[in-house]
Amino acid sequence: MIKIENITKIFRTKEVETTALDRINLQVAQGEFVSIMGPSGCGKSTLLNIMGLLDQPTEGALLINDTAVSGMKDKQLAHFRNQTLGFIFQSFHLIPALNVFDNVELPMLYGKNISTKEQRQRVLEVLEKVELSHRLKHFPTQLSGGQCQRVAIARALVSKPEVILADEPTGNLDSKMGIEILELLLTLNKEGTTIVMVTHDERIAQQTHRIVRLLDGKIQ
Amino acid sequence: MKHILKIIWNQKRNYYWIFMEQVLVTIILMLSAVSVLESYKKYKTPGMLNVENTFVVGYLSGNSATQEEMGNSLKSMNILLENMKKLPYVKTITRGFNLAPYQRDNELYASQVPSDSIRIDDKRFMAIYKFSDEFGASVLNVEMEEGTWFENRALPDGSLPVVITRQFASKAGWTTSVGKKIPFGSRFFTVTGVAAGLKQVPFEPSPIAIVIPSFAMGGMPFENMVKIETGMEREFIEAFSKEFQRLIPYESMEPFLNYMPSLKSMWTSQSVLSVILQGIPTLFLFIFAFIGTFGLYWMMSQKRMKEYALRIALGSTKSKLIGIVIGESLLITCMAILPALALSLFIYEYNAVHVIAVSITIFVMLLFAIVSAWYPAWKVSRVNPAEALQYE
């Protein structure tokens, strides 16, 4: 599903050169639920950003579904992200000017031509899945942290992606809400969605199929 | 567009002042555009008289002038003009009253010069009376749309030959005017020709006017126009001044000698200056509005950088991001144009000038919307999603 071959990421400023990732090799099989753990600054989020096509590696190759994504143009990358990947962020990143329905619908505005009726149908389905159908017209400021994250998960699912990339999805939530979110992700994984999750929480990581530990840009 | 409209509506507080500012700018721009185009339209109306190489000459009598001096001066003026005719560079002299343009504007004409109510069939309207001899048309190069200028004498049937302006003919409802009779006291005027117009000033349309032979004035005509050869202005001024001093040596009599192209330039400059003075505050308002709008879109785009980065993550392209920023600007401007359009329907009767002016206003405002949001949009398209979405 995801193949990372010798990926290196170096951040360069005028004074300093920082190697965030150093010849990383990693494979994630279809249907796997992988946790990436490590201390702060070890390169976890950088690795996730590269897998999510939000950043380019300095060296190395990334293949998703046997498709080499390096060298893709902006439009192709955008399309690939929209159709294949779903993102869940620690800060939720919901658009405050849009209500729950419109936030979840957002990826479909950039996707294939889907009829308005089908768009509405899909949004309602995913919101049903995350148990937020009764909050369609609410705005993010009117929701709790857990509800915001569930809306973000619904948004990540609406385009039926093959892979979900979650960067500390429970980082801003209390333990009870964190467990709810994890259970939701486990359910999605059981239904066949590949999930790669960055987390600090060992207990959460233990519930996934595999833990990949990073230290100083290298896999332990 | 529906998506952008949702964002604007849900954040309407953020856009309120920019919307109000653009409504004001649009209205002021529209009023200025109409004013400028209307001035231009008036300038292009037919009837501009050719005053190249032409002087208007005469004299002014002071309060101390005696009856004898005034009588002698009048006779001497006739001799002076006859002498001027003999000069090799003097082409034509015409004598009349109220025909010379650029002496006064239409409003002053209405208050100072002879005018009367004309009755034709069931129509009644005011017309300005002008007087001229047979040379008036050639000196001023009057454009005749129908018929000819008149001879300075009565017609065989005893009626007075007159030339009317197109404006007169339209008011009278005539499609062809030559031969038409106009009642005048116990006599009749007979129309011999229709002039395209007789404009008094460049930026006003020709008045409704009738030109009557100067012999019917009932006094000596005292407005004299002299057409000379090109380049002989100085010689003419010297000759006229010398003859005036010789023939009209009274201290109470002052010669006047106005070079008509200079008068025309003066009138033109006044009108152009008036348009410019109107335009300068509009331009300043526009510039300040642009700075304000640009600043606001810049600030808002910086504030929403995470949102734009998120859109990249969800599948937006850079060009679509640019589209959102510029789309918001265009939509706000389109909404701001609506009150101005509504106002224009109330205050204008919507002729070609108004349609063009409103269209120009809309075009300029849409351009304004694109230009003021362009740089913020370009900056947004350069967002690094990995950096912007990093948890702080």
Side-chain angles (χ1 to χ4, degrees), chain A residues 94-100 102-103 135-144 148, chain B residues 6 9-11:
Chain A
L94 299 180
I95 296 177
L98 298 174
N99 61 26
V100 165
D102 294 328
N103 263 291
R135 297 286 210 164
L136 291 181
K137 300 285 182 199
H138 285 76
F139 286 84
T141 49
Q142 297 168 308
L143 304 175
S144 68
C148 283
Chain B
K6 265 187 208 168
W9 179 253
N10 291 337
Q11 289 187 306

mmCIF file with all atom_site columns, all heavy atoms in Angstrom, chain A residues 94-100 102-103 135-144 148, chain B residues 6 9-11:
data_model
loop_
_atom_site.group_PDB
_atom_site.id
_atom_site.type_symbol
_atom_site.label_atom_id
_atom_site.label_alt_id
_atom_site.label_comp_id
_atom_site.label_asym_id
_atom_site.label_entity_id
_atom_site.label_seq_id
_atom_site.pdbx_PDB_ins_code
_atom_site.Cartn_x
_atom_site.Cartn_y
_atom_site.Cartn_z
_atom_site.occupancy
_atom_site.B_iso_or_equiv
_atom_site.pdbx_formal_charge
_atom_site.auth_seq_id
_atom_site.auth_comp_id
_atom_site.auth_asym_id
_atom_site.auth_atom_id
_atom_site.pdbx_PDB_model_num
ATOM 1   N N   . LEU A 1 94  ? -10.751 22.483 11.623 1.00 0.00 ? 94  LEU A N   1
ATOM 2   C CA  . LEU A 1 94  ? -12.051 22.713 10.985 1.00 0.00 ? 94  LEU A CA  1
ATOM 3   C C   . LEU A 1 94  ? -12.128 24.186 10.591 1.00 0.00 ? 94  LEU A C   1
ATOM 4   O O   . LEU A 1 94  ? -11.535 25.038 11.255 1.00 0.00 ? 94  LEU A O   1
ATOM 5   C CB  . LEU A 1 94  ? -13.196 22.379 11.952 1.00 0.00 ? 94  LEU A CB  1
ATOM 6   C CG  . LEU A 1 94  ? -13.245 20.930 12.449 1.00 0.00 ? 94  LEU A CG  1
ATOM 7   C CD1 . LEU A 1 94  ? -14.434 20.745 13.399 1.00 0.00 ? 94  LEU A CD1 1
ATOM 8   C CD2 . LEU A 1 94  ? -13.346 19.956 11.281 1.00 0.00 ? 94  LEU A CD2 1
ATOM 9   N N   . ILE A 1 95  ? -12.846 24.477 9.514  1.00 0.00 ? 95  ILE A N   1
ATOM 10  C CA  . ILE A 1 95  ? -12.955 25.870 9.061  1.00 0.00 ? 95  ILE A CA  1
ATOM 11  C C   . ILE A 1 95  ? -14.072 26.539 9.859  1.00 0.00 ? 95  ILE A C   1
ATOM 12  O O   . ILE A 1 95  ? -15.232 26.117 9.780  1.00 0.00 ? 95  ILE A O   1
ATOM 13  C CB  . ILE A 1 95  ? -13.242 25.930 7.547  1.00 0.00 ? 95  ILE A CB  1
ATOM 14  C CG1 . ILE A 1 95  ? -12.042 25.333 6.794  1.00 0.00 ? 95  ILE A CG1 1
ATOM 15  C CG2 . ILE A 1 95  ? -13.487 27.365 7.105  1.00 0.00 ? 95  ILE A CG2 1
ATOM 16  C CD1 . ILE A 1 95  ? -12.219 25.258 5.297  1.00 0.00 ? 95  ILE A CD1 1
ATOM 17  N N   . PRO A 1 96  ? -13.734 27.569 10.638 1.00 0.00 ? 96  PRO A N   1
ATOM 18  C CA  . PRO A 1 96  ? -14.740 28.152 11.538 1.00 0.00 ? 96  PRO A CA  1
ATOM 19  C C   . PRO A 1 96  ? -15.912 28.816 10.804 1.00 0.00 ? 96  PRO A C   1
ATOM 20  O O   . PRO A 1 96  ? -16.998 28.927 11.364 1.00 0.00 ? 96  PRO A O   1
ATOM 21  C CB  . PRO A 1 96  ? -13.948 29.202 12.339 1.00 0.00 ? 96  PRO A CB  1
ATOM 22  C CG  . PRO A 1 96  ? -12.631 29.354 11.680 1.00 0.00 ? 96  PRO A CG  1
ATOM 23  C CD  . PRO A 1 96  ? -12.419 28.224 10.763 1.00 0.00 ? 96  PRO A CD  1
ATOM 24  N N   . ALA A 1 97  ? -15.690 29.224 9.570  1.00 0.00 ? 97  ALA A N   1
ATOM 25  C CA  . ALA A 1 97  ? -16.760 29.908 8.830  1.00 0.00 ? 97  ALA A CA  1
ATOM 26  C C   . ALA A 1 97  ? -17.762 28.936 8.211  1.00 0.00 ? 97  ALA A C   1
ATOM 27  O O   . ALA A 1 97  ? -18.745 29.360 7.611  1.00 0.00 ? 97  ALA A O   1
ATOM 28  C CB  . ALA A 1 97  ? -16.155 30.765 7.729  1.00 0.00 ? 97  ALA A CB  1
ATOM 29  N N   . LEU A 1 98  ? -17.491 27.633 8.335  1.00 0.00 ? 98  LEU A N   1
ATOM 30  C CA  . LEU A 1 98  ? -18.403 26.635 7.762  1.00 0.00 ? 98  LEU A CA  1
ATOM 31  C C   . LEU A 1 98  ? -18.989 25.783 8.874  1.00 0.00 ? 98  LEU A C   1
ATOM 32  O O   . LEU A 1 98  ? -18.316 25.485 9.862  1.00 0.00 ? 98  LEU A O   1
ATOM 33  C CB  . LEU A 1 98  ? -17.660 25.728 6.769  1.00 0.00 ? 98  LEU A CB  1
ATOM 34  C CG  . LEU A 1 98  ? -17.049 26.413 5.550  1.00 0.00 ? 98  LEU A CG  1
ATOM 35  C CD1 . LEU A 1 98  ? -16.224 25.412 4.737  1.00 0.00 ? 98  LEU A CD1 1
ATOM 36  C CD2 . LEU A 1 98  ? -18.138 27.016 4.671  1.00 0.00 ? 98  LEU A CD2 1
ATOM 37  N N   . ASN A 1 99  ? -20.264 25.370 8.677  1.00 0.00 ? 99  ASN A N   1
ATOM 38  C CA  . ASN A 1 99  ? -20.869 24.502 9.691  1.00 0.00 ? 99  ASN A CA  1
ATOM 39  C C   . ASN A 1 99  ? -20.386 23.057 9.506  1.00 0.00 ? 99  ASN A C   1
ATOM 40  O O   . ASN A 1 99  ? -19.581 22.773 8.603  1.00 0.00 ? 99  ASN A O   1
ATOM 41  C CB  . ASN A 1 99  ? -22.398 24.604 9.660  1.00 0.00 ? 99  ASN A CB  1
ATOM 42  C CG  . ASN A 1 99  ? -22.995 24.179 8.325  1.00 0.00 ? 99  ASN A CG  1
ATOM 43  O OD1 . ASN A 1 99  ? -22.400 23.379 7.600  1.00 0.00 ? 99  ASN A OD1 1
ATOM 44  N ND2 . ASN A 1 99  ? -24.160 24.687 8.006  1.00 0.00 ? 99  ASN A ND2 1
ATOM 45  N N   . VAL A 1 100 ? -20.881 22.171 10.346 1.00 0.00 ? 100 VAL A N   1
ATOM 46  C CA  . VAL A 1 100 ? -20.418 20.778 10.342 1.00 0.00 ? 100 VAL A CA  1
ATOM 47  C C   . VAL A 1 100 ? -20.617 20.154 8.963  1.00 0.00 ? 100 VAL A C   1
ATOM 48  O O   . VAL A 1 100 ? -19.704 19.531 8.411  1.00 0.00 ? 100 VAL A O   1
ATOM 49  C CB  . VAL A 1 100 ? -21.156 19.977 11.438 1.00 0.00 ? 100 VAL A CB  1
ATOM 50  C CG1 . VAL A 1 100 ? -21.005 18.479 11.243 1.00 0.00 ? 100 VAL A CG1 1
ATOM 51  C CG2 . VAL A 1 100 ? -20.653 20.377 12.822 1.00 0.00 ? 100 VAL A CG2 1
ATOM 52  N N   . ASP A 1 102 ? -20.894 21.539 6.002  1.00 0.00 ? 102 ASP A N   1
ATOM 53  C CA  . ASP A 1 102 ? -20.025 22.124 4.975  1.00 0.00 ? 102 ASP A CA  1
ATOM 54  C C   . ASP A 1 102 ? -18.565 21.740 5.179  1.00 0.00 ? 102 ASP A C   1
ATOM 55  O O   . ASP A 1 102 ? -17.822 21.563 4.211  1.00 0.00 ? 102 ASP A O   1
ATOM 56  C CB  . ASP A 1 102 ? -20.165 23.643 4.957  1.00 0.00 ? 102 ASP A CB  1
ATOM 57  C CG  . ASP A 1 102 ? -21.549 24.075 4.507  1.00 0.00 ? 102 ASP A CG  1
ATOM 58  O OD1 . ASP A 1 102 ? -22.160 23.360 3.685  1.00 0.00 ? 102 ASP A OD1 1
ATOM 59  O OD2 . ASP A 1 102 ? -22.051 25.105 5.007  1.00 0.00 ? 102 ASP A OD2 1
ATOM 60  N N   . ASN A 1 103 ? -18.145 21.616 6.428  1.00 0.00 ? 103 ASN A N   1
ATOM 61  C CA  . ASN A 1 103 ? -16.776 21.179 6.704  1.00 0.00 ? 103 ASN A CA  1
ATOM 62  C C   . ASN A 1 103 ? -16.549 19.757 6.192  1.00 0.00 ? 103 ASN A C   1
ATOM 63  O O   . ASN A 1 103 ? -15.536 19.462 5.571  1.00 0.00 ? 103 ASN A O   1
ATOM 64  C CB  . ASN A 1 103 ? -16.475 21.215 8.206  1.00 0.00 ? 103 ASN A CB  1
ATOM 65  C CG  . ASN A 1 103 ? -15.764 22.484 8.617  1.00 0.00 ? 103 ASN A CG  1
ATOM 66  O OD1 . ASN A 1 103 ? -14.604 22.711 8.272  1.00 0.00 ? 103 ASN A OD1 1
ATOM 67  N ND2 . ASN A 1 103 ? -16.447 23.334 9.346  1.00 0.00 ? 103 ASN A ND2 1
ATOM 68  N N   . ARG A 1 135 ? -25.972 17.390 14.489 1.00 0.00 ? 135 ARG A N   1
ATOM 69  C CA  . ARG A 1 135 ? -25.226 18.646 14.645 1.00 0.00 ? 135 ARG A CA  1
ATOM 70  C C   . ARG A 1 135 ? -24.860 19.275 13.303 1.00 0.00 ? 135 ARG A C   1
ATOM 71  O O   . ARG A 1 135 ? -23.905 20.029 13.213 1.00 0.00 ? 135 ARG A O   1
ATOM 72  C CB  . ARG A 1 135 ? -23.915 18.377 15.412 1.00 0.00 ? 135 ARG A CB  1
ATOM 73  C CG  . ARG A 1 135 ? -24.115 17.861 16.830 1.00 0.00 ? 135 ARG A CG  1
ATOM 74  C CD  . ARG A 1 135 ? -24.581 18.954 17.723 1.00 0.00 ? 135 ARG A CD  1
ATOM 75  N NE  . ARG A 1 135 ? -24.125 18.753 19.097 1.00 0.00 ? 135 ARG A NE  1
ATOM 76  C CZ  . ARG A 1 135 ? -24.129 19.698 20.032 1.00 0.00 ? 135 ARG A CZ  1
ATOM 77  N NH1 . ARG A 1 135 ? -24.533 20.910 19.744 1.00 0.00 ? 135 ARG A NH1 1
ATOM 78  N NH2 . ARG A 1 135 ? -23.700 19.434 21.242 1.00 0.00 ? 135 ARG A NH2 1
ATOM 79  N N   . LEU A 1 136 ? -25.673 18.972 12.301 1.00 0.00 ? 136 LEU A N   1
ATOM 80  C CA  . LEU A 1 136 ? -25.324 19.398 10.939 1.00 0.00 ? 136 LEU A CA  1
ATOM 81  C C   . LEU A 1 136 ? -25.082 20.902 10.810 1.00 0.00 ? 136 LEU A C   1
ATOM 82  O O   . LEU A 1 136 ? -24.171 21.353 10.133 1.00 0.00 ? 136 LEU A O   1
ATOM 83  C CB  . LEU A 1 136 ? -26.451 19.031 9.968  1.00 0.00 ? 136 LEU A CB  1
ATOM 84  C CG  . LEU A 1 136 ? -26.689 17.567 9.669  1.00 0.00 ? 136 LEU A CG  1
ATOM 85  C CD1 . LEU A 1 136 ? -27.843 17.442 8.665  1.00 0.00 ? 136 LEU A CD1 1
ATOM 86  C CD2 . LEU A 1 136 ? -25.455 16.915 9.100  1.00 0.00 ? 136 LEU A CD2 1
ATOM 87  N N   . LYS A 1 137 ? -25.960 21.683 11.442 1.00 0.00 ? 137 LYS A N   1
ATOM 88  C CA  . LYS A 1 137 ? -25.926 23.141 11.231 1.00 0.00 ? 137 LYS A CA  1
ATOM 89  C C   . LYS A 1 137 ? -25.056 23.866 12.258 1.00 0.00 ? 137 LYS A C   1
ATOM 90  O O   . LYS A 1 137 ? -24.966 25.081 12.232 1.00 0.00 ? 137 LYS A O   1
ATOM 91  C CB  . LYS A 1 137 ? -27.362 23.716 11.336 1.00 0.00 ? 137 LYS A CB  1
ATOM 92  C CG  . LYS A 1 137 ? -28.311 23.141 10.318 1.00 0.00 ? 137 LYS A CG  1
ATOM 93  C CD  . LYS A 1 137 ? -28.058 23.711 8.953  1.00 0.00 ? 137 LYS A CD  1
ATOM 94  C CE  . LYS A 1 137 ? -29.059 23.170 7.949  1.00 0.00 ? 137 LYS A CE  1
ATOM 95  N NZ  . LYS A 1 137 ? -28.614 23.322 6.583  1.00 0.00 ? 137 LYS A NZ  1
ATOM 96  N N   . HIS A 1 138 ? -24.459 23.086 13.151 1.00 0.00 ? 138 HIS A N   1
ATOM 97  C CA  . HIS A 1 138 ? -23.619 23.740 14.167 1.00 0.00 ? 138 HIS A CA  1
ATOM 98  C C   . HIS A 1 138 ? -22.273 24.115 13.593 1.00 0.00 ? 138 HIS A C   1
ATOM 99  O O   . HIS A 1 138 ? -21.768 23.484 12.664 1.00 0.00 ? 138 HIS A O   1
ATOM 100 C CB  . HIS A 1 138 ? -23.422 22.797 15.362 1.00 0.00 ? 138 HIS A CB  1
ATOM 101 C CG  . HIS A 1 138 ? -24.632 22.698 16.226 1.00 0.00 ? 138 HIS A CG  1
ATOM 102 N ND1 . HIS A 1 138 ? -25.747 21.966 15.878 1.00 0.00 ? 138 HIS A ND1 1
ATOM 103 C CD2 . HIS A 1 138 ? -24.917 23.249 17.432 1.00 0.00 ? 138 HIS A CD2 1
ATOM 104 C CE1 . HIS A 1 138 ? -26.663 22.072 16.826 1.00 0.00 ? 138 HIS A CE1 1
ATOM 105 N NE2 . HIS A 1 138 ? -26.186 22.841 17.776 1.00 0.00 ? 138 HIS A NE2 1
ATOM 106 N N   . PHE A 1 139 ? -21.683 25.140 14.215 1.00 0.00 ? 139 PHE A N   1
ATOM 107 C CA  . PHE A 1 139 ? -20.349 25.591 13.806 1.00 0.00 ? 139 PHE A CA  1
ATOM 108 C C   . PHE A 1 139 ? -19.305 25.024 14.780 1.00 0.00 ? 139 PHE A C   1
ATOM 109 O O   . PHE A 1 139 ? -19.638 24.686 15.923 1.00 0.00 ? 139 PHE A O   1
ATOM 110 C CB  . PHE A 1 139 ? -20.294 27.117 13.753 1.00 0.00 ? 139 PHE A CB  1
ATOM 111 C CG  . PHE A 1 139 ? -21.031 27.681 12.572 1.00 0.00 ? 139 PHE A CG  1
ATOM 112 C CD1 . PHE A 1 139 ? -22.399 27.879 12.626 1.00 0.00 ? 139 PHE A CD1 1
ATOM 113 C CD2 . PHE A 1 139 ? -20.367 27.957 11.382 1.00 0.00 ? 139 PHE A CD2 1
ATOM 114 C CE1 . PHE A 1 139 ? -23.097 28.359 11.522 1.00 0.00 ? 139 PHE A CE1 1
ATOM 115 C CE2 . PHE A 1 139 ? -21.048 28.442 10.281 1.00 0.00 ? 139 PHE A CE2 1
ATOM 116 C CZ  . PHE A 1 139 ? -22.418 28.636 10.350 1.00 0.00 ? 139 PHE A CZ  1
ATOM 117 N N   . PRO A 1 140 ? -18.052 24.910 14.342 1.00 0.00 ? 140 PRO A N   1
ATOM 118 C CA  . PRO A 1 140 ? -17.011 24.317 15.191 1.00 0.00 ? 140 PRO A CA  1
ATOM 119 C C   . PRO A 1 140 ? -16.928 24.947 16.585 1.00 0.00 ? 140 PRO A C   1
ATOM 120 O O   . PRO A 1 140 ? -16.644 24.246 17.560 1.00 0.00 ? 140 PRO A O   1
ATOM 121 C CB  . PRO A 1 140 ? -15.722 24.569 14.397 1.00 0.00 ? 140 PRO A CB  1
ATOM 122 C CG  . PRO A 1 140 ? -16.159 24.588 12.983 1.00 0.00 ? 140 PRO A CG  1
ATOM 123 C CD  . PRO A 1 140 ? -17.516 25.202 12.991 1.00 0.00 ? 140 PRO A CD  1
ATOM 124 N N   . THR A 1 141 ? -17.186 26.243 16.673 1.00 0.00 ? 141 THR A N   1
ATOM 125 C CA  . THR A 1 141 ? -17.093 26.890 17.991 1.00 0.00 ? 141 THR A CA  1
ATOM 126 C C   . THR A 1 141 ? -18.194 26.416 18.941 1.00 0.00 ? 141 THR A C   1
ATOM 127 O O   . THR A 1 141 ? -18.130 26.649 20.147 1.00 0.00 ? 141 THR A O   1
ATOM 128 C CB  . THR A 1 141 ? -17.191 28.423 17.854 1.00 0.00 ? 141 THR A CB  1
ATOM 129 O OG1 . THR A 1 141 ? -18.323 28.734 17.017 1.00 0.00 ? 141 THR A OG1 1
ATOM 130 C CG2 . THR A 1 141 ? -15.933 29.011 17.250 1.00 0.00 ? 141 THR A CG2 1
ATOM 131 N N   . GLN A 1 142 ? -19.198 25.749 18.386 1.00 0.00 ? 142 GLN A N   1
ATOM 132 C CA  . GLN A 1 142 ? -20.304 25.266 19.211 1.00 0.00 ? 142 GLN A CA  1
ATOM 133 C C   . GLN A 1 142 ? -20.153 23.795 19.601 1.00 0.00 ? 142 GLN A C   1
ATOM 134 O O   . GLN A 1 142 ? -21.059 23.203 20.180 1.00 0.00 ? 142 GLN A O   1
ATOM 135 C CB  . GLN A 1 142 ? -21.637 25.448 18.445 1.00 0.00 ? 142 GLN A CB  1
ATOM 136 C CG  . GLN A 1 142 ? -21.960 26.911 18.154 1.00 0.00 ? 142 GLN A CG  1
ATOM 137 C CD  . GLN A 1 142 ? -23.107 27.065 17.169 1.00 0.00 ? 142 GLN A CD  1
ATOM 138 O OE1 . GLN A 1 142 ? -23.110 26.477 16.085 1.00 0.00 ? 142 GLN A OE1 1
ATOM 139 N NE2 . GLN A 1 142 ? -24.075 27.881 17.530 1.00 0.00 ? 142 GLN A NE2 1
ATOM 140 N N   . LEU A 1 143 ? -18.980 23.208 19.258 1.00 0.00 ? 143 LEU A N   1
ATOM 141 C CA  . LEU A 1 143 ? -18.767 21.779 19.516 1.00 0.00 ? 143 LEU A CA  1
ATOM 142 C C   . LEU A 1 143 ? -17.674 21.580 20.552 1.00 0.00 ? 143 LEU A C   1
ATOM 143 O O   . LEU A 1 143 ? -16.788 22.429 20.720 1.00 0.00 ? 143 LEU A O   1
ATOM 144 C CB  . LEU A 1 143 ? -18.356 21.060 18.222 1.00 0.00 ? 143 LEU A CB  1
ATOM 145 C CG  . LEU A 1 143 ? -19.293 21.183 17.013 1.00 0.00 ? 143 LEU A CG  1
ATOM 146 C CD1 . LEU A 1 143 ? -18.666 20.506 15.803 1.00 0.00 ? 143 LEU A CD1 1
ATOM 147 C CD2 . LEU A 1 143 ? -20.643 20.569 17.315 1.00 0.00 ? 143 LEU A CD2 1
ATOM 148 N N   . SER A 1 144 ? -17.706 20.415 21.220 1.00 0.00 ? 144 SER A N   1
ATOM 149 C CA  . SER A 1 144 ? -16.632 20.063 22.146 1.00 0.00 ? 144 SER A CA  1
ATOM 150 C C   . SER A 1 144 ? -15.437 19.560 21.347 1.00 0.00 ? 144 SER A C   1
ATOM 151 O O   . SER A 1 144 ? -15.554 19.312 20.130 1.00 0.00 ? 144 SER A O   1
ATOM 152 C CB  . SER A 1 144 ? -17.110 18.966 23.104 1.00 0.00 ? 144 SER A CB  1
ATOM 153 O OG  . SER A 1 144 ? -17.297 17.759 22.364 1.00 0.00 ? 144 SER A OG  1
ATOM 154 N N   . CYS A 1 148 ? -15.437 17.917 17.658 1.00 0.00 ? 148 CYS A N   1
ATOM 155 C CA  . CYS A 1 148 ? -14.644 18.497 16.557 1.00 0.00 ? 148 CYS A CA  1
ATOM 156 C C   . CYS A 1 148 ? -13.801 17.430 15.881 1.00 0.00 ? 148 CYS A C   1
ATOM 157 O O   . CYS A 1 148 ? -13.722 17.360 14.659 1.00 0.00 ? 148 CYS A O   1
ATOM 158 C CB  . CYS A 1 148 ? -13.731 19.605 17.080 1.00 0.00 ? 148 CYS A CB  1
ATOM 159 S SG  . CYS A 1 148 ? -14.576 21.152 17.406 1.00 0.00 ? 148 CYS A SG  1
ATOM 160 N N   . LYS B 2 6   ? -21.106 31.192 0.971  1.00 0.00 ? 6   LYS B N   1
ATOM 161 C CA  . LYS B 2 6   ? -21.358 30.689 2.336  1.00 0.00 ? 6   LYS B CA  1
ATOM 162 C C   . LYS B 2 6   ? -20.329 31.260 3.302  1.00 0.00 ? 6   LYS B C   1
ATOM 163 O O   . LYS B 2 6   ? -20.669 31.710 4.401  1.00 0.00 ? 6   LYS B O   1
ATOM 164 C CB  . LYS B 2 6   ? -21.218 29.161 2.348  1.00 0.00 ? 6   LYS B CB  1
ATOM 165 C CG  . LYS B 2 6   ? -22.504 28.411 2.169  1.00 0.00 ? 6   LYS B CG  1
ATOM 166 C CD  . LYS B 2 6   ? -22.302 26.919 2.355  1.00 0.00 ? 6   LYS B CD  1
ATOM 167 C CE  . LYS B 2 6   ? -23.326 26.173 1.536  1.00 0.00 ? 6   LYS B CE  1
ATOM 168 N NZ  . LYS B 2 6   ? -23.081 24.762 1.405  1.00 0.00 ? 6   LYS B NZ  1
ATOM 169 N N   . TRP B 2 9   ? -20.991 34.950 3.857  1.00 0.00 ? 9   TRP B N   1
ATOM 170 C CA  . TRP B 2 9   ? -22.208 35.162 4.665  1.00 0.00 ? 9   TRP B CA  1
ATOM 171 C C   . TRP B 2 9   ? -21.954 34.822 6.132  1.00 0.00 ? 9   TRP B C   1
ATOM 172 O O   . TRP B 2 9   ? -22.367 35.550 7.037  1.00 0.00 ? 9   TRP B O   1
ATOM 173 C CB  . TRP B 2 9   ? -23.359 34.332 4.098  1.00 0.00 ? 9   TRP B CB  1
ATOM 174 C CG  . TRP B 2 9   ? -24.600 34.512 4.907  1.00 0.00 ? 9   TRP B CG  1
ATOM 175 C CD1 . TRP B 2 9   ? -25.168 33.612 5.760  1.00 0.00 ? 9   TRP B CD1 1
ATOM 176 C CD2 . TRP B 2 9   ? -25.413 35.690 4.973  1.00 0.00 ? 9   TRP B CD2 1
ATOM 177 N NE1 . TRP B 2 9   ? -26.282 34.159 6.349  1.00 0.00 ? 9   TRP B NE1 1
ATOM 178 C CE2 . TRP B 2 9   ? -26.461 35.426 5.894  1.00 0.00 ? 9   TRP B CE2 1
ATOM 179 C CE3 . TRP B 2 9   ? -25.360 36.940 4.356  1.00 0.00 ? 9   TRP B CE3 1
ATOM 180 C CZ2 . TRP B 2 9   ? -27.438 36.361 6.195  1.00 0.00 ? 9   TRP B CZ2 1
ATOM 181 C CZ3 . TRP B 2 9   ? -26.335 37.872 4.655  1.00 0.00 ? 9   TRP B CZ3 1
ATOM 182 C CH2 . TRP B 2 9   ? -27.364 37.579 5.564  1.00 0.00 ? 9   TRP B CH2 1
ATOM 183 N N   . ASN B 2 10  ? -21.250 33.705 6.350  1.00 0.00 ? 10  ASN B N   1
ATOM 184 C CA  . ASN B 2 10  ? -21.000 33.283 7.726  1.00 0.00 ? 10  ASN B CA  1
ATOM 185 C C   . ASN B 2 10  ? -19.985 34.183 8.438  1.00 0.00 ? 10  ASN B C   1
ATOM 186 O O   . ASN B 2 10  ? -19.886 34.145 9.669  1.00 0.00 ? 10  ASN B O   1
ATOM 187 C CB  . ASN B 2 10  ? -20.520 31.825 7.760  1.00 0.00 ? 10  ASN B CB  1
ATOM 188 C CG  . ASN B 2 10  ? -21.616 30.862 7.360  1.00 0.00 ? 10  ASN B CG  1
ATOM 189 O OD1 . ASN B 2 10  ? -22.802 31.175 7.466  1.00 0.00 ? 10  ASN B OD1 1
ATOM 190 N ND2 . ASN B 2 10  ? -21.243 29.687 6.882  1.00 0.00 ? 10  ASN B ND2 1
ATOM 191 N N   . GLN B 2 11  ? -19.239 34.947 7.661  1.00 0.00 ? 11  GLN B N   1
ATOM 192 C CA  . GLN B 2 11  ? -18.271 35.869 8.278  1.00 0.00 ? 11  GLN B CA  1
ATOM 193 C C   . GLN B 2 11  ? -18.592 37.310 7.912  1.00 0.00 ? 11  GLN B C   1
ATOM 194 O O   . GLN B 2 11  ? -17.698 38.139 7.758  1.00 0.00 ? 11  GLN B O   1
ATOM 195 C CB  . GLN B 2 11  ? -16.861 35.555 7.766  1.00 0.00 ? 11  GLN B CB  1
ATOM 196 C CG  . GLN B 2 11  ? -16.289 34.270 8.276  1.00 0.00 ? 11  GLN B CG  1
ATOM 197 C CD  . GLN B 2 11  ? -14.832 34.132 7.864  1.00 0.00 ? 11  GLN B CD  1
ATOM 198 O OE1 . GLN B 2 11  ? -14.483 34.236 6.685  1.00 0.00 ? 11  GLN B OE1 1
ATOM 199 N NE2 . GLN B 2 11  ? -13.973 33.904 8.807  1.00 0.00 ? 11  GLN B NE2 1
#
